[in-house]
Structures are given as C-alpha cells and as structure tokens.
Amino acid sequence: MNLTGVDNLLWALSFIGHWILLAVLVLRRRAGFFPVFTALISFNIVRTIMLFFTLRLGSRESYFYVYWTLAIVDVGFQLAIAYELASKVFRPVGSWVPDVRRSFLVIAVASVAVAGGMTWLAAPPATTLQTAIVIRGDFFASALMSEVFVAMVALSVTLGLPWRTHVARLAQGLGVFSIYGIFTGAAHSYLAADPVVQSFRLLSRARIVLYLGCIAYWSVTLARKEPEPRKMPEQLRDELRRLQGRAALILKSLRTLGSAS
Amino acid sequence: MREIVFLVAAGIFVTALLGVAAYFLLRARRISRNAWSAMLGRLKQIDRDKFTTVALDLLEEEGVLQEHLDPEMIFEMIGGMKGLDALEANCDVLVDLATYVQQWYPEALLLAEGLRLNAREIKWHIGRLRGAAKTGHMQEQFPMYAQRAVATYYLMTRSLLVLYEGVRLPELAELRHAI
C-alpha cells in the first residue's frame, strides 16, 4: 500500500493528537474518571506505532492481520466506552436507575441485531475475502455504536437524567464519528474498497480528518473544568426519606385494602 | 439489485438514527428552556385546601382535626372521579418537577424515582376505582382508596416543597403557590 504525503501527514497528526489528548487526560486528572477512554487513547497510540512499522517492514498479509486484530480490540474498547459513559449517566448517585439496566441490555441486543442485519445486507464488491471482512466489520461497528449512542440520548432524555459536561462531549464526538462511519461503510460497500480507488481514499481521509476534529474537541473540552454537581444537605436527605417512608406506609395500607377487597 | 436494497436500507437507517437523536436533543433543549413554566402549566386544577384536609384526616397530624371525615364528605371534597383524574395527571407533573432539580443536584434522582413509584401505584389504584365504577361498587370503595391516594399525593407535594426549600431554588415561591 503506497501512502502519499497527505496520508503520512494525517497519520502523523493523528499520532500527535492522541499524545496531546492523553496528556490532557493524565495532567487534568480525567484518566481516573474515564479509565476505559484513557485506555483506548493509549491503545490508539500503540496501534499507530504497530501499523506504521508493520506497513514498512511486513508484508501486505501481515499488515491485514495486524490491522484487523487491532480493529477488533478497537470495537471492544468502543463498546466498553459506551458502557462507561452509560454508567456515568444512568448511575448518577452510585446505583443504576431502576429499570435502566434492563432497558439498556434490551437496547444493546436490539442494536446488535439491527447492525447485524444491515451488515448482512451489505454486498461489498471486494476483490478479496479480507477486504470484505474489513468493510463489513467496519460498517457493523459504526452502525452498532451509532445505535447505542442514540439510544443513550433517548433513554436519558426520557428519564430526565442530565449529562455531565465531559461525558456529553465524549459521547457527542463518538456519536458523530460513528454516524459518519455508517456513511463511509455504506459507500465502501457500494463502491470499490481498494486503496487505489480515489473515492475510497477520499472517504477514508475525510473520516480521519473528522476524527482529528474529535480529538481536538475532546482535548479542549477535557482540559476545561466542568461545573461540579451540588450536594444536598444531610438533613434534607433525612427529611425526604422520612416523607417517602410515610408515603410508603400509606401505599402499603392501600395494597392491603386492594388484596382484601 | 442487492446494492440498491442495501443503500436504501442504509439511508433509512441513518435518517432514522438522526431523526431520533434530533427529536430527543430538541426535546431536552425545550425542556431545559421552558421547563418550569411548561410543567406548572400542566398542573390540573384541584381544590388544594380540601385535598389537604382529606389527607390530614388520614395522616392524623396533631391538632389539625379532632373528628374524622365521613365518607360522603370525602367524596364531595375530592370532587369524585374528576378530582382523582386531576390528581393522577398531577402526579406526573410532580415527578417532572423533582426531575427538574436533578440538573443541579443529581441526588434529587432518588426523590424523583420515589415519586415515580408512588405515582405508578396511585394510578393503579385509581384504575381499580374506575373498574369499580363500572360494576357499580365505586361508592363504597371510593372513600378508602381515594383518601389514601390523596394522602400519598399530599406527601409527594410536601416532599417536593421540602426539596425546593432545602436546596434553595428560586422557583420555591411559585411552586408553593401552584401545588
């Protein structure tokens, strides 16, 4: 695979961008709050180095296997990040909001089914099995992640759960990148997915540019402070518990009435 | 042919995703902008003083009432099924009013969830009363069920007022007036 100057530039920018983002995560002490996201960024740095040397020193086949193996790890990380962000949104006081865990599981299963169905429909005009797998795998991951992020937004708005600033910014970036991934995946399935084809290169470059935008967006927003959630006084919490306890007693007597009649 | 089917399906899929995302993001923005006035506007008219009297009759708060209300009076004071219909609708508003506080105090989630469960149970019992009305047994069951529903609703409103007062929200005065 021959890389042009533009490809090398994008690769270098992506590498530098990841280092900057990692530095922000560590220096601004965000890594502890987003351990999976931090691990993904570190993984991307390692991936860039591995692919760089495999491309220059290895064969076309070895590049494919390294690329694909790392891509599977990447999808695993993305799913783990979706869970990490969901746990921040749907577990604001340490425990999951009732019914949400089940809803989230149902959504995840439905998302896998829909993404799987769409991927099955795709008929990439790939010349090799390897290319077909890459195109389908890429499309599947993008479709799945887009569905999960849209479902998270829908569920949180329905429940009235606010998103903390940093969580929202990470999800926005990942969501936009995933939805664009569906476009490129669909286009790759329709057009030829060969790096020598101009359209393939353009779409892939546009995707990398978008990802660079996401890295810059995350670096800036994570470097900034977010408003700290306020704490309710202990006395207020006690008073609310007392009132809820009384309401529970009344409702219990209602249930007794209901079972007696 | 398969490529065309795939492209159409992918187009529908992306449009649906963007549509759902846009709908909920706009809804969230609308809620945060007009939340307060819109929520209060959804409250149905009830006779608060009479509801409070009925609730306190059950809750037996000291020094408020010496004698218990008789069943006919409870029916009249609540306004029959119409009063309970209004109470049922207002329960949802109370949940939203608690949810509103979550944007500053995530811990308000616990109260919002508690109110959501209360509301669900109240609605279930009101549903039973509607069923009893169809079989002609409502008159005898109404006072017991309705008074407990009203008492729970009263405690829900008290919880909300305590929450708003405790976190010193500027909307407290308006809330006191509305519920």
Side-chain angles (χ1 to χ4, degrees):
Chain A
M1 188 165 74
N2 296 319
L3 295 181
T4 65
V6 176
D7 293 324
N8 282 322
L9 176 68
L10 290 176
W11 208 346
L13 284 176
S14 167
F15 187 62
I16 295 166
H18 278 124
W19 272 113
I20 292 172
L21 180 53
L22 185 63
V24 169
L25 282 163
V26 173
L27 296 175
R28 301 292 288 170
R29 298 177 195 279
R30 312 285 186 235
F33 195 67
F34 298 112
V36 181
F37 182 72
T38 307
L40 172 70
I41 299 306
S42 311
F43 164 76
N44 278 336
I45 292 171
V46 175
R47 177 160 81 162
T48 307
I49 296 169
M50 283 177 74
L51 288 175
F52 179 82
F53 284 107
T54 311
L55 183 69
R56 272 152 186 80
L57 305 174
S59 63
R60 190 185 167 93
E61 279 71 31
S62 60
Y63 181 81
F64 169 81
Y65 284 115
V66 173
Y67 176 87
W68 185 234
T69 307
L70 295 174
I72 292 171
V73 179
D74 184 49
V75 172
F77 264 121
Q78 286 186 44
L79 288 173
I81 286 175
Y83 185 83
E84 180 170 83
L85 298 182
S87 70
K88 308 284 182 213
V89 176
F90 300 117
R91 220 173 44 176
V93 284
S95 57
W96 285 81
V97 176
D99 300 338
V100 158
R101 216 170 187 174
R102 199 177 49 193
S103 305
F104 200 65
L105 191 68
V106 170
I107 286 168
V109 171
S111 300
V112 169
V114 173
M118 291 292 299
T119 309
W120 173 79
L121 255 184
T127 47
T128 63
L129 176 67
Q130 294 173 341
T131 321
I133 291 172
V134 170
I135 294 172
R136 281 176 187 267
D138 197 33
F139 180 81
F140 176 79
S142 298
L144 181 60
M145 293 307 295
S146 306
E147 288 173 88
V148 169
F149 280 111
V150 169
M152 273 172 63
V153 170
L155 205 55
S156 62
V157 172
T158 306
L159 292 168
L161 295 170
W163 292 54
R164 289 186 67 173
T165 312
H166 289 155
V167 176
R169 299 297 167 263
L170 287 190
Q172 277 169 359
L174 288 166
V176 168
F177 183 67
S178 300
I179 288 178
Y180 182 77
I182 300 178
F183 278 113
T184 53
H188 286 168
S189 295
Y190 185 66
L191 305 164
D194 195 317
V196 297
V197 177
Q198 196 60 23
S199 56
F200 178 90
R201 285 210 158 187
L202 275 175
L203 284 170
S204 300
R205 280 176 187 163
R207 197 176 180 194
I208 297 170
V209 170
L210 179 68
Y211 185 63
L212 285 171
C214 288
I215 291 178
Y217 181 60
W218 290 329
S219 300
V220 172
T221 50
L222 288 172
R224 288 180 182 162
K225 274 189 178 174
E226 66 175 355
E228 280 295 313
R230 297 178 218 172
K231 289 263 178 203
M232 286 187 345
E234 188 57 42
Q235 196 184 348
L236 172 60
R237 282 202 293 262
D238 287 344
E239 177 67 5
L240 290 174
R241 267 196 292 270
R242 191 186 66 78
L243 284 165
Q244 276 299 296
R246 288 194 78 182
L249 281 176
I250 305 277
L251 288 169
K252 192 178 169 189
S253 72
L254 253 179
R255 281 194 291 273
T256 313
L257 269 178
S259 56
S261 61
Chain B
M1 183 59 191
R2 188 165 173 178
E3 288 92 340
I4 304 296
V5 173
F6 170 70
L7 280 185
V8 171
I12 294 169
F13 178 62
V14 172
T15 310
L17 278 179
L18 291 175
V20 171
Y23 169 78
F24 280 100
L25 289 173
L26 285 174
R27 190 172 138 188
R29 185 168 291 189
R30 201 172 55 236
I31 287 170
S32 62
R33 268 189 199 156
N34 310 315
W36 183 251
S37 48
M39 278 188 288
L40 288 193
R42 280 166 46 213
L43 280 169
K44 303 269 187 215
Q45 193 73 37
I46 55 167
D47 191 325
R48 271 192 302 156
D49 293 339
K50 286 181 180 168
F51 267 56
T52 305
T53 308
V54 171
L56 292 181
D57 179 56
L58 182 76
L59 296 169
E60 293 175 341
E61 294 208 344
E62 279 176 34
V64 176
L65 285 169
Q66 300 299 319
E67 291 176 16
H68 285 294
L69 297 167
D70 60 59
E72 288 79 21
M73 194 174 271
I74 290 175
F75 186 87
E76 198 180 303
M77 288 173 89
I78 292 173
M81 275 314 289
K82 274 189 182 170
L84 287 187
D85 289 341
L87 179 145
E88 191 178 12
N90 286 357
C91 280
D92 289 333
V93 183
L94 298 188
V95 174
D96 289 348
L97 287 168
T99 303
Y100 177 75
V101 184
Q102 280 175 219
Q103 56 189 307
W104 304 285
Y105 294 88
E107 290 165 284
L109 166 79
L110 298 175
L111 178 64
E113 282 309 307
L115 296 187
R116 205 188 301 277
L117 291 175
N118 294 349
R120 198 185 288 175
E121 199 155 349
I122 287 177
K123 285 177 182 184
W124 188 78
H125 289 293
I126 292 177
R128 278 177 69 102
L129 270 181
R130 283 200 193 95
K134 282 179 190 162
T135 54
H137 296 292
M138 189 184 79
Q139 209 66 24
E140 60 209 58
Q141 293 189 7
F142 187 91
M144 284 184 297
Y145 278 96
Q147 191 174 25
R148 281 167 175 77
V150 168
T152 310
Y153 177 80
Y154 170 78
L155 288 170
M156 288 167 76
T157 59
R158 288 298 313 156
S159 300
L160 259 187
L161 288 170
V162 164
L163 173 67
Y164 274 66
E165 192 174 0
V167 299
R168 294 194 176 91
L169 279 194
E171 290 90 344
L172 174 65
E174 217 178 332
L175 183 69
R176 265 200 193 121
H177 186 69
I179 62 169

